[in-house]
């Protein structure tokens, strides 16, 4: 490597910073340059041209001239000299590195000072060691004299106490053995009280039960083709069974059929199935073995020969390792023995400590002796108590055996219920500290961009995808065209300072020393040698240098340097441009950002920080609400399970006296309870999953906001603040689930004991009412009930004569009619006008106006245009919604239905913008306009923006005329959401229509003298998707929660 190449590689730096006049004069005066070369360089007028000519001549000279050139640079251009030396060392050309005599003397002086200090410390330590040795020898002699006297007395006391303690322990063991024997008898007696079927099931755990308990996992992960082929080839499955499974088209159906056949096979086929799982589905095999071992059925656990060989091989390796360790330990023991002999003298020094410990031991043994005596007395008392309990359990066992003799034929399948999956899951909030994509081999944490969900992705990974949309690890779909992607300063700064052992950054190519200092001005870590160079260099000797350990303890915000402008890299940012949402410098405010309303960076930071702190406080309050709701749901789960167990016990007690005739009915009721519990558990599980998702999102946002305030500069914080605020606002829009599960509503009504033998097929009613259960058995027989129903249908003229009797049995009719959606408004008055029919309306999917609305997969009417448009004639063209599948029948009694709408405002409404409409009209008026309010024979209620009240109101219309305007509680602000729940009553006999607010439990309006001469069609409309999102659910039939307060409200409105 020649010196000319070194000069050529540093040409830009030399041309920029070199002063040619000083170098030329020095080189000419020392004879390195001739007169002709000196004149050639001086002929150039400009400095840059002189420098180029000087360097051109220098590259043609030999190394001696180059060294003279380095001497001149060391005196006048120290930084250029250091740059050349750095390049020479990097290229392994040490002969070209010049070190001045002054620098050598400085280094020698520093080393001599260090040697003198170390020599002094060594002399001091030697003197201290000699003094300590003399003191130890004196102490050893004194302690040896005391040791002989005290050791003898303590040993005698310990022997006496040990003998007493041994005697008490033997006595305690004898009494404990008697107690254990008595407990074993009691446990056997207690086990005998369990039903025989349950004990038999627990004793012989079958492979079918193991498969049944792992059905969800097997259905999800099992590949049936491989398992079927293997079982068929080995003869475990017959040709017919193989074909039955292969007939299924879908993988899940094949899996279900395979498992169904497998549960009917014997254990040998199950073991062959385990062989296949061991080869192809190892994780499924491990799950089955885990369940089998847990249920104490080791005969069903399959271990392959390969696995056994592997275990044997591992054990042999362990034995070899242990043998080697044993040999090593023996050698080490011999070596240790020699050392121990030398250490015996030193151990005498510890005699004082041992004496104290022996005395403590003595006291402890005395206490243990006293405790053992007390324990023996307590165990004896327990033994006496157990004998009494044993006698009472023997009596109870005889009574229970007599009771179970009547139920041995019933065999009520009291199998222990499967362990229910826990509805809660740990909020494993894994904080993403790097790129969530990791798709590129060039994944770089220094180029992290912040996503709207507050996770981060690096720019190389985003560029490699070549997609407009990316999917984050949290499942969120992000449009990278709309999201520019702010630099994630929080993670970048945390990763930057997270290095466990930083390296020296002063001369990274050569320096390998341990970091001891950090320059806050240069923002680099340095070893001891580099620190000395840094402090003796003219350009850096005034920099602020701190210890590396002190620097690590500083907060990240204090360790960061001042932020520089992204456009003018040498300028510090001092202002914030709110229009461009970026930090700028002095140069920027005079250029492109001149008229953008610039504010001082500190002022903008304080204002934004105050706003974010308020947002974070609200976010924490919202998190507390989530936690409270989560705890409430957990309480509901516990109450639900406890109540279910109580009801099951009650049902079992009632049916135990009915013996054989009630066994099938008992199973039916138990299944009803399990179904109801499963439905409620499913609702609670969904609510808790929703709460966990919300809690995870809120915690992630809070943590990132706190990290942002602690780990960024003011400029970086301002760049991140808008993204954090948007995420907080997004979290606050999450709705908390309502507490809809009533655990106390589950009960078993056991009326009808008088007609038990006649009503055995219909006995018992499962109730979910909040009210108490009537324990009186007043249910009539089947013949009585049939006679009264016959009279009710065929002899309406004689209804008044039978009214008294029917009123007495109204409670029983209610149990049969309410599941059909038919309710009595007045129990004292039983006629057609007092019956309320919750009719079964349906949206007419064939008439939906798909240009404006559609019906989603849940069956809700949504104010969004349909992506698919199925062909079909007769669709509505103008009305923005749909109608029912059929007109309202002339039932002669009130008819009732409800709508539940979830409304979210994207923008504030203005003018008379509609949100939704519900009502009824004639057939020819269904598709005249976008709504039916102005039609002559229509009645409707609409929710819309009202210019009179300046907010959202509920307007009632009758036959094209505005009747009433009531303000609604829904605020007209962007981001607000609400659930609107309304009921509609139509009575063709009274010619009335009533609109009810179900949530507020009040009548909004009643329309009289409604023209019902022609059939009326229910209509449902949703509007303005550009301002609001509406999802309307139709609630009909038995899905309506008909409370007594609601009945009273309808009666009052119709009266």
């Amino acid at each position: 490597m020649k010196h000319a190449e070194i000069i050529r590689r540093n040409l830009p730096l030399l041309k920029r910073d070199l002063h040619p006049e000083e170098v030329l004069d020095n080189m000419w005066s020392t004879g390195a340059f001739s007169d002709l070369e000196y004149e050639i360089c001086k002929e150039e007028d400009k400095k840059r041209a002189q420098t180029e000519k000087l360097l051109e001549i220098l590259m043609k000279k030999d190394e001696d001239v180059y060294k003279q050139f380095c001497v001149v640079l060391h005196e006048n251009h120290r930084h250029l000299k250091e740059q050349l030396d750095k390049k020479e060392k990097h290229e392994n050309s040490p002969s070209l590195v010049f070190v001045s005599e002054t620098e050598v003397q400085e280094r020698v002086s520093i080393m001599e000072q260090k040697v003198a200090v170390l020599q002094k410390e060594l002399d001091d330590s030697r003197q201290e060691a000699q003094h300590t040795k003399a003191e130890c020898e004196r102490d050893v002699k004194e302690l040896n004299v005391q040791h002989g006297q005290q050791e003898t007395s303590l040993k005698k006391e310990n022997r006496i106490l040990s003998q007493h303690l041994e005697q008490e322990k033997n006595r305690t063991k004898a009494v404990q053995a008697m107690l254990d024997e008595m407990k074993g008898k009691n446990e056997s007696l207690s086990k005998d009280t369990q039903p025989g079927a349950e004990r038999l099931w627990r004793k012989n755990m079958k492979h079918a039960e193991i498969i049944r308990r792992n059905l969800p996992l097997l259905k999800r992960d099992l590949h049936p083709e491989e398992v079927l082929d293997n079982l068929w080839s080995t003869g475990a499955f017959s040709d017919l069974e193989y074909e039955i499974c292969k007939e299924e088209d879908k993988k899940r159906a094949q899996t279900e059929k395979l498992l169904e056949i497998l549960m009917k096979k014997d254990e040998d086929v199950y073991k062959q199935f385990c062989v296949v799982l061991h080869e192809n589905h190892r994780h499924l095999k491990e799950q089955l073995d885990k369940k089998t071992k847990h249920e104490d059925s080791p005969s069903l656990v399959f271990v392959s020969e390969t696995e056994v060989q592997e275990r044997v091989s591992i054990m042999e390796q362990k034995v070899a390792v242990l043998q080697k360790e044993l040999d090593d330990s023996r050698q080490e023991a011999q070596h240790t023995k020699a050392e121990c002999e030398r250490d015996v003298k030193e151990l005498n020094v510890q005699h004082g400590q041992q004496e104290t410990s022996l005395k403590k031991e003595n006291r402890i043994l005395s206490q243990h002796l006293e405790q053992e005596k007390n324990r023996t007395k307590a165990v004896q008392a327990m033994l006496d108590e157990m004998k009494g309990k044993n006698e009472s359990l023997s009596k109870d066992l005889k009574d229970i055996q007599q009771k179970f003799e009547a139920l041995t034929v019933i065999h009520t399948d009291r199998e222990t219920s499967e362990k229910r999956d826990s509805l809660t899951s740990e909020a494993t909030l894994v904080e993403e500290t790097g790129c969530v994509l990791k798709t590129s081999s060039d994944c770089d944490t220094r180029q992290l961009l912040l996503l709207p969900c507050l996770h981060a992705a690096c720019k190389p990974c985003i560029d490699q995808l070549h997609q407009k949309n990316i999917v984050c690890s949290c499942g969120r779909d992000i449009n990278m065209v709309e999201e520019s992607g702010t630099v994630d300063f929080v993670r970048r700064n945390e990763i930057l300072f997270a290095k466990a052992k930083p390296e020296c950054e002063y001369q990274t190519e050569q320096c390998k020393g341990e970091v001891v200092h950090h320059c806050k001005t240069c923002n680099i870590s340095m070893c001891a040698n580099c620190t000395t160079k840094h402090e003796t260099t003219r350009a850096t000797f005034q920099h602020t240098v701190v210890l590396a350990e002190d620097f690590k303890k500083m907060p990240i915000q204090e360790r960061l340097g001042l932020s520089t402008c992204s456009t003018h890299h040498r300028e510090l940012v001092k202002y914030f441009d709110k229009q461009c949402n970026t930090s700028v410098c002095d140069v920027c405010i005079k250029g492109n950002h001149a008229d953008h309303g610039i504010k001082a960076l500190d002022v903008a930071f304080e204002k934004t920080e105050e706003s974010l702190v308020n947002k974070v406080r609200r976010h924490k309050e919202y998190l507390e609400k989530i936690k409270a709701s989560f705890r409430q749901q957990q309480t509901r789960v516990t109450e639900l399970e406890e109540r279910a167990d109580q009801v099951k016990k009650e049902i079992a007690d009632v049916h135990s006296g009915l013996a054989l005739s009630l066994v099938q009915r008992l199973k039916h009721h138990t299944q009803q309870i399990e179904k109801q519990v499963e439905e409620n558990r499913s609702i609670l599980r969904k609510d808790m999953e929703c709460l966990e998702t919300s809690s995870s999102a809120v915690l992630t946002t809070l943590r990132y906001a706190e990290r942002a305030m602690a780990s960024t500069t003011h400029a970086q914080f301002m760049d991140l603040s808008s993204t954090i605020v948007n995420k907080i606002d997004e979290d606050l829009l999450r709705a908390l689930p309502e507490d809809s599960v009533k655990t106390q509503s589950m009960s078993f009504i056991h009326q009808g004991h008088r007609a038990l033998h006649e009503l055995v097929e219909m006995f018992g009613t499962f109730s979910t009412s909040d009210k108490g259960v009537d324990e009186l058995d007043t249910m009539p027989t089947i013949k009585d009930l049939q006679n009264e129903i016959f009279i009710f249908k065929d002899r309406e003229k004689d209804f008044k004569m039978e009214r008294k009797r029917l009123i007495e049995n109204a409670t029983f009719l209610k149990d049969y009619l309410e599941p059909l959606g038919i309710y009595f408004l007045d129990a004292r008055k039983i006629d057609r006008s007092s019956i309320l029919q919750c009719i079964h309306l349906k949206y007419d999917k064939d008439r939906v106006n798909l240009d404006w609305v559609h019906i989603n997969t849940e069956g809700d009417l949504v104010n969004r245009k349909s992506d698919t448009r199925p062909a079909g004639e007769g669709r509505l063209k103008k009305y923005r919604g749909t109608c029912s599948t059929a007109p309202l029948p002339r039932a002669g009694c009130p008819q009732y239905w409800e709508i539940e709408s979830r409304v979210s405002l994207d923008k504030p409404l203005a003018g008379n913008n509609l949100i939704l409409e519900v009502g009824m009209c004639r057939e020819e008026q269904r598709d005249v306009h976008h709504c039916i309010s102005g039609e002559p024979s229509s009645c409707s209620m609409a929710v819309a923006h009202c210019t009179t009240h300046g907010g959202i109101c509920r307007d009632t219309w009758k036959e094209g005329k505005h009747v009433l305007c009531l303000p609604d509680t829904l605020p007209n602000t962007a981001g607000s959401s609400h659930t609107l729940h309304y009921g509609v009553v139509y009575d063709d006999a009274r010619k009335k229509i009533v609109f009810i607010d179900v949530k507020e439990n009040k009548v909004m309006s009643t329309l009289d003298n409604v023209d019902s001469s022609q059939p009326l069609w229910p209509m449902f409309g949703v509007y303005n998707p550009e301002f609001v999102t509406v999802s309307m659910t139709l609630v009909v039939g038995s899905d309506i929660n008909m409370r007594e307060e609601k009945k009273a409200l309808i009666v009052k409105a119709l009266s």
Side-chain angles (χ1 to χ4, degrees), residues 18 77 431 704 777 850 944 950:
L18 189 66
H77 301 81
E431 184 64 34
Y704 190 86
D777 184 8
L850 296 178

Side-chain angles (χ1 to χ4, degrees), residues 236-299:
F237 271 33
S238 64
D239 295 340
L240 177 59
E241 292 169 337
Y242 179 80
E243 292 299 329
I244 289 173
C245 294
K246 281 292 185 178
E247 285 177 358
E248 302 293 339
D249 296 334
K250 295 184 178 179
K251 170 190 168 185
R252 188 176 182 87
Q254 279 190 2
T255 305
E256 291 176 351
K257 186 62 70 176
L258 186 150
L259 295 174
E260 182 183 348
I261 295 173
L262 189 62
M263 286 190 286
K264 299 176 181 178
K265 293 285 186 177
D266 56 13
E267 291 185 358
D268 294 333
V269 178
Y270 172 73
K271 290 184 179 179
Q272 182 61 33
F273 174 66
C274 289
V275 174
V276 180
L277 292 186
H278 182 77
E279 295 173 355
N280 303 313
H281 302 79
R282 185 69 63 90
H283 69 289
L284 295 177
K285 170 64 170 56
E286 291 173 354
Q287 180 64 23
L288 291 178
D289 288 349
K290 183 178 179 182
K291 180 64 70 175
T292 305
K293 292 175 182 178
H294 179 68
E295 296 296 342
D296 196 18
S297 298
S299 62

Side-chain angles (χ1 to χ4, degrees), residues 909-912 942-956 962-972:
L909 300 177
N912 294 316
V943 179
H945 182 263
C946 177
T947 56
T948 303
H949 295 95
I952 297 175
C953 293
R954 296 162 292 187
D955 297 320
T956 307
H962 188 259
V963 177
L964 185 63
C965 179
L966 292 174
D968 197 281
T969 57
L970 178 63
N972 187 21

